[in-house]
Every structure is written in C-alpha cells, then in structure tokens.
Amino acid sequence: MGRCYDFNEYVDRKNSHAEKWNNMVSAGAPKNDHSVLSMSIADMEFKCCDEILNALKEPISNGVIGYDCPCEKFFESFIKWQKEKNNWDIKKEWIVPVPGVVPGIANTILRNTKEGDAIIINTPVYPPFFNAIHLNNRIVVENKLIELEDKYIIDFEDFEKKIVENNVKLSILCSPHNPVGRVWTREELQRYGEICRKHNVLMISDEIHGDLILKDYKHIPIASMNEDFLYNTVTLTAPSKTFNVAGLVQSVAIIPNEELRTKFITGLVGYGIFHMASFATVGFTAAYMYGKEWFEECMEYIESNIDFAIDFINREIPKVKVKRPQASFLLWLDLRAFDIEHEQLHQKLINEGKLLLNSGMTYGENGKLFFRMNIACNRDMLTDGLNRLKKVIDSL
C-alpha cells in the first residue's frame, strides 16, 4: 500500500517570503491587513514531498553553494517523465535549461521576431504573455476564445484571419489553457498547428500545467504530433506547478530544431544566463524521479476540491457561473450577472469579503467581471474562501 500524504495540513505562509501572502498590496489589498485570504497566485498551499525537501539539503550538507550545472540524472528524469506521462520520446540534446517559462517565452520572442512584429495569443490568457510582447516592443494580437455553455473553444476562423491581416510572426499557445482550464484535443491542436505552418508562424507552447490533467482528459504536447510541428515549436515546461516547487525557478525548453535551439541558447548567454542554482538542479531531478506518488495523491485531492467548490457555488451562489476545468487547480469565476463595475467588485471582494482573487481584467478584454480562484489548498481554507465569496455576492 502506498504512502498517504496529508493535504489537509495547514501551512502558515503569512510570515514567510511567499509572494501570494506578502505582496497583496500590488493586487489592491490594504497594507498589513493579515485578515485577507489570498486565493490568487498559482502555487499550492501544500508541502511538497519529502524526497524533494531532502534533496534540497544536499547542497547545504556539503558546505559549498557554488556554480552548478545539470547532471545526467537531470535530463534522464525529465525524459522518463515525458515518456510515461505523454508518450513523447525526447532527446537529451533538445533540452535547454532555462530559469522560468516566462523568461523562455521572452527569449524566444527576442530571438525570432523584431520590434513591431505581431504575436498572437488566445485570450483570456495568462497576463505575463502580454508583458513579454508589449515590453519587448512587439504587437499583441488577441484571438478571443469562443465561450460555450460548458467550455471555451478556439475561434479558428478569427485566428487565421488575424494571422493574415496582421502578418503575425509568432503564436503563444497556452496548453492546457490558463485560466479557462481547457485541455486541447488532438483535433484542435492539429488545426492550430496547421494554420501556423501554413502562414509560417513559429509556435511557442507553454505547457507548465501539462501534468495537472483531471480525469477523462489527456494532454498532448503539440510538438509531439508530427515532424512539421516538432521543428516549428519551442515547448516550455517545468516541475513548478506539478510538484509545487515554483521557488526553484527551474524550467526547460524543448527545442528539436537545431537552428531555433542555437538562437535560444545564444539569447540566454547574451543576457548572462549560463549558470544554474544548486537547489534548482537537485530539486528538479528529485521531483521527476521521486514525486510521482505525491503528485497523484495531490491531484486526487485537487479534483475533490474542484467538485466541492463547484457544488458550493451552484448551490449557495448560483448567479456566479463556473465551468468545470479540465486541468489544473484554477477556477474561472463568471460574475457578469451582477450590475457592477469590475474594479468596484474587485475592491468589494478585498475590503468586504477579505478575499483576494486574480482580477480577470489582467487576462484580456474578455476577462471583465471574471476572477480566477486558486483552490489548491486544504478544505478548511477552501470553505473559508467560498464563504467569503458568498458574503460579498449576497450583499450585491
């Protein structure tokens, strides 16, 4: 019988350096108001598995915190994980360590486009995509997802039309999609990839949530589908979400195309990025080697939290609409039923409900009156958060 982890344990992070709990002022919360419950930034309120924590002791125990580099086990653990999870055979030479998925996106943009070039994204989507484009003087082209009753889908006619009209050079695919929780089907990925190839659009695929797949769904890395897509994609992923180790700041780019890979590496070196943190290398390796059992139990707990939260919302605050996600631990809450300005509602949630959620306005124009809720926490905290949400909704 396998080990049982206690995901009901409370971990107090309010007096730590956790951004989720100690940088709430930037999201609009009052300074030093410790009564605010943060269900925002996408890390979990769960301790990671002991094998990872023990591995992190190694650099300290030998007494030297020096320059580090990835060992063979670093690559082997990741290659094995991708084969088992996604049936994708990755070659070691395709893998480029990078300190974060977003830096990998920005590096790809800088090395493969020029100022003024257009880049297309499927909105509402993860806010740093906008920053990586805007702040590097490229143009954001929004392809707005189509909302159906139970899910969102890509508007492919608009996608291709905007690629042609704006002479788009690069696309950023969020797969699975954050915040709407879609796991794209093989047919959807095929159509997406074919349109990009037809119009010579390089693809970045952000697959950081790719392990967090709920029952009855299957993640397919778009690059794994055929050779055309394989050599036209920069895939970025990390153990961050899977094992709750975002603080390691260790990701990988998978780049089979040698020309693209050389550009990517040159970009990193050009920005002075050529070392790895000691804790990142050992933590990354331990996660993929020993974290499977913890991860599987964690996903069972997350799925039960999703069911609990959706049942609560449908029963207690039915004017709040939510579609059951197909991946990850994020709920995309629809509060459009209420006649109130978005920012006014955001402030009510913070000041009256003492609840901090991610504002949907940062995810694109079609995020107005939406809020993202992180439910990767123990059941008591989740219940508290839902009751705070209900308090504000009942007052409207």
Side-chain angles (χ1 to χ4, degrees), residues 20-269:
K20 186 175 181 178
W21 293 100
N22 293 285
N23 193 27
M24 291 193 278
V25 174
S26 63
K31 191 174 183 179
N32 298 322
D33 187 348
H34 299 296
S35 66
V36 176
L37 179 66
S38 181
M39 301 184 77
S40 55
I41 291 171
D43 57 14
M44 307 181 194
E45 297 301 306
F46 307 134
K47 285 184 179 178
C48 56
C49 70
D50 291 340
E51 288 83 358
I52 297 174
L53 297 176
N54 289 333
L56 295 178
K57 295 175 184 176
E58 179 198 313
I60 296 172
S61 65
N62 69 21
V64 179
I65 312 294
Y67 293 119
D68 218 333
C69 64
C71 61
E72 280 302 312
K73 285 184 179 179
F74 178 95
F75 296 102
E76 289 170 3
S77 64
F78 180 71
I79 290 168
K80 183 171 182 284
W81 182 268
Q82 282 293 325
K83 177 63 176 176
E84 289 179 357
K85 290 290 292 181
N86 300 315
N87 196 31
W88 189 15
D89 291 303
I90 293 174
K91 296 180 180 177
K92 177 187 172 183
E93 59 264 29
W94 296 354
I95 302 169
V96 183
V98 58
V101 163
V102 175
I105 291 171
N107 187 44
T108 307
I109 289 171
L110 287 166
R111 301 305 298 181
N112 295 280
T113 64
K114 62 182 186 298
E115 291 192 7
D117 280 349
I119 296 170
I120 195 164
I121 54 178
N122 314 100
T123 58
V125 76
Y126 184 49
F129 286 11
F130 293 89
N131 294 336
I133 300 168
H134 278 313
L135 298 179
N136 287 306
N137 300 313
R138 274 67 171 173
I139 297 167
V140 171
V141 177
E142 287 192 48
N143 166 238
K144 295 180 181 178
L145 298 174
I146 296 172
E147 184 182 0
L148 304 181
E149 186 177 347
D150 63 334
K151 64 184 177 184
Y152 287 82
I153 60 172
I154 296 171
D155 185 342
F156 283 111
E157 288 186 10
D158 178 73
F159 183 64
E160 185 164 18
K161 181 170 177 281
K162 283 184 173 167
I163 284 175
V164 173
E165 288 178 350
N166 297 278
N167 191 23
V168 166
K169 300 297 184 185
L170 187 147
S171 72
I172 309 175
L173 176 67
C174 198
S175 179
H177 193 280
N178 170 17
V180 307
R182 271 304 315 277
V183 176
W184 305 117
T185 64
R186 182 174 292 278
E187 292 72 25
E188 287 170 314
L189 293 170
Q190 185 70 34
R191 191 169 178 190
Y192 184 101
E194 285 176 354
I195 291 170
C196 288
R197 289 294 294 130
K198 178 181 175 182
H199 299 288
N200 199 30
V201 174
L202 175 64
M203 299 187 291
I204 297 174
S205 188
D206 173 358
E207 302 189 7
I208 198 169
H209 294 267
D211 294 325
L212 304 167
I213 307 300
L214 304 182
K215 290 186 181 73
D216 302 323
Y217 297 97
K218 174 69 178 170
H219 172 64
I220 304 167
I222 191 168
S224 72
M225 292 181 62
N226 59 55
E227 282 222 341
D228 262 3
F229 297 176
L230 184 72
Y231 290 99
N232 190 50
T233 306
V234 173
T235 304
L236 290 151
T237 191
S240 310
K241 310 299 181 189
T242 308
F243 303 104
N244 200 30
V245 289
L248 294 180
V249 197
Q250 185 58 60
S251 305
V252 288
I254 306 164
I255 316 176
N257 183 316
E258 187 175 0
E259 182 183 350
L260 290 176
R261 191 167 65 249
T262 300
K263 283 183 182 179
F264 190 91
I265 293 168
T266 301
L268 293 180
V269 175

